[in-house]
Amino acid sequence: MGKKADGKVLAQNKKASHDYFIEDTFEAGMVLTGTEIKSLRNGRANIGDAFATIRNGEIHIHNMHISPFEQGNRSNPDDPTRTRKLLMHKAQIHKLLGLSKQDGYSIVPLKIYVRNGYAKLLIGLGKGKKQYDKRDSAAKRDAQRDIQRALREKQKIAR
């Protein structure tokens, strides 16, 4: 039997790098019910508004939207944005808890992917950006794009 598709990105939070400085990342498993994994594999997930909290030594993800599976039956969950438990080592959770208690830090989901047949969520410890940081990031990105464009034009002329 062949190896399962590794590392296929199923959903990504592109807004996270715009709104946060991501300082550390952690991989977490997800507790899913019934047909949620099938829906995930079809790319029917959205983590744009999702966030994670730690309570009673457990980490949970809120507002992660997984659409119900079309061919699903009774095992389809009623609420597509229900709170889901994440699976991490206790030491990682304690480390994340200590770091996220600092002012301005939050736990942000970055992307969902499949590894060894299991759905994984990459979460990051993010420090919120101020408005001027966002403008600075956009200016750097635009400058880099202009440099690349100029280099391409120069290479075309040289040929």
Side-chain angles (χ1 to χ4, degrees):
M1 193 153 106
K3 189 177 173 185
K4 295 187 174 155
D6 274 351
K8 182 182 176 216
V9 176
L10 304 173
Q12 197 163 9
N13 188 355
K14 295 178 180 171
K15 214 167 72 171
S17 62
H18 181 262
D19 292 339
Y20 299 95
F21 293 112
I22 304 299
E23 296 188 0
D24 203 0
T25 59
F26 299 89
E27 183 180 77
M30 292 187 288
V31 176
L32 301 173
T33 60
T35 55
E36 284 181 329
I37 185 66
K38 291 182 178 189
S39 209
L40 265 179
R41 287 181 187 272
N42 287 340
R44 312 265 292 141
N46 182 2
I47 56 174
D49 298 328
F51 62 95
T53 58
I54 300 175
R55 261 184 309 206
N56 301 331
E58 295 180 341
I59 186 164
H60 296 274
I61 183 112
H62 305 271
N63 286 352
M64 180 172 72
H65 188 280
I66 299 177
S67 299
F69 188 60
E70 293 89 13
Q71 290 84 32
N73 53 9
R74 63 186 172 174
S75 63
N76 261 349
D78 296 329
D79 183 18
T81 59
R82 71 181 180 84
T83 301
R84 294 169 178 89
K85 184 177 173 184
L86 298 180
L87 305 172
M88 293 177 72
H89 293 286
K90 194 169 285 206
Q92 286 180 319
I93 293 174
H94 288 305
K95 179 181 179 185
L96 198 55
L97 179 64
L99 292 172
S100 67
K101 287 286 186 199
Q102 297 174 14
D103 213 23
Y105 283 91
S106 56
I107 305 167
V108 184
L110 302 174
K111 66 181 174 179
I112 300 174
Y113 55 94
V114 174
R115 174 174 288 161
N116 297 333
Y118 294 103
K120 301 288 184 179
L121 177 68
L122 186 70
I123 56 176
L125 181 70
K127 184 168 177 64
K129 284 186 181 179
K130 303 279 190 265
Q131 190 64 37
Y132 58 84
D133 290 329
K134 293 179 187 178
R135 283 194 296 266
D136 189 43
S137 297
K140 284 180 183 175
R141 190 173 54 243
D142 290 344
Q144 193 64 34
R145 192 178 304 130
D146 291 341
I147 290 169
Q148 291 299 322
R149 189 178 300 130
L151 286 173
R152 278 197 306 271
E153 290 297 321
K154 197 170 191 176
Q155 286 176 347
K156 283 183 184 177
I157 294 171
R159 288 183 187 173

